């Protein structure tokens, strides 16, 4: 069986890694979580068994500690009745369009509708029911790393 496991991050010094009896392992890093070290990193693992055989493996990881840009959204132009741009409409059901970080999960609250922003960060919610008067929405974006941001309108 495995007798030792060590790791190196981005070509740094190797350090010992705890590993469990069923092959699981974990280790802590010294990455700063303020966004300055966000991006791609390479982890090299080196496993040694009881016979002295050594196996190397390279893993890539992406550190993402930054929240996505606050999602912005508005009425789709075809639902913006005159006067255009006043955030008022005569339609009872509308489409809302907006933008945020690419591939973020976007939720429209309080309705709970959910969509995923495309590769350009664009998203839309269709068939949104409106009531007479002010309709307030909160759009929350969550990027693939779990970072969140929101916008009220």
């Amino acid at each position: 069986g495995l007798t030792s496991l060590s790791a190196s991050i981005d070509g740094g010094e190797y350090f010992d890694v705890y590993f469990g009896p069923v092959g699981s392992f974990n280790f802590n890093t010294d990455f700063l979580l303020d966004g300055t070290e966000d991006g791609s990193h390479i982890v090299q693992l080196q496993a040694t068994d009881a016979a002295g055989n050594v196996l190397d493996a390279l893993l890539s990881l992406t550190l993402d500690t930054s929240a996505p840009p606050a999602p912005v959204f508005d009425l789709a132009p075809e639902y913006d009745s005159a006067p255009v741009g006043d955030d008022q409409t005569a339609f009872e059901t509308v489409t809302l369009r907006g933008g945020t970080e690419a591939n973020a999960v976007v939720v429209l609250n309080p309705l709970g509708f959910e969509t995923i922003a495309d590769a350009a960060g664009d998203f839309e919610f269709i068939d949104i029911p409106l009531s007479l008067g002010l309709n307030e929405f909160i759009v929350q974006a969550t990027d693939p790393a779990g970072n969140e941001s929101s916008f009220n309108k």
Side-chain angles (χ1 to χ4, degrees), residues 49 51 60 151:
D49 67 12
S60 176
F151 178 73

Side-chain angles (χ1 to χ4, degrees), residues 2-23:
L2 189 63
T3 58
S4 69
L5 181 63
S6 57
S8 167
I9 300 175
D10 295 331
E13 294 291 319
Y14 276 90
F15 55 91
D16 291 335
V17 174
Y18 167 80
F19 60 95
V22 293

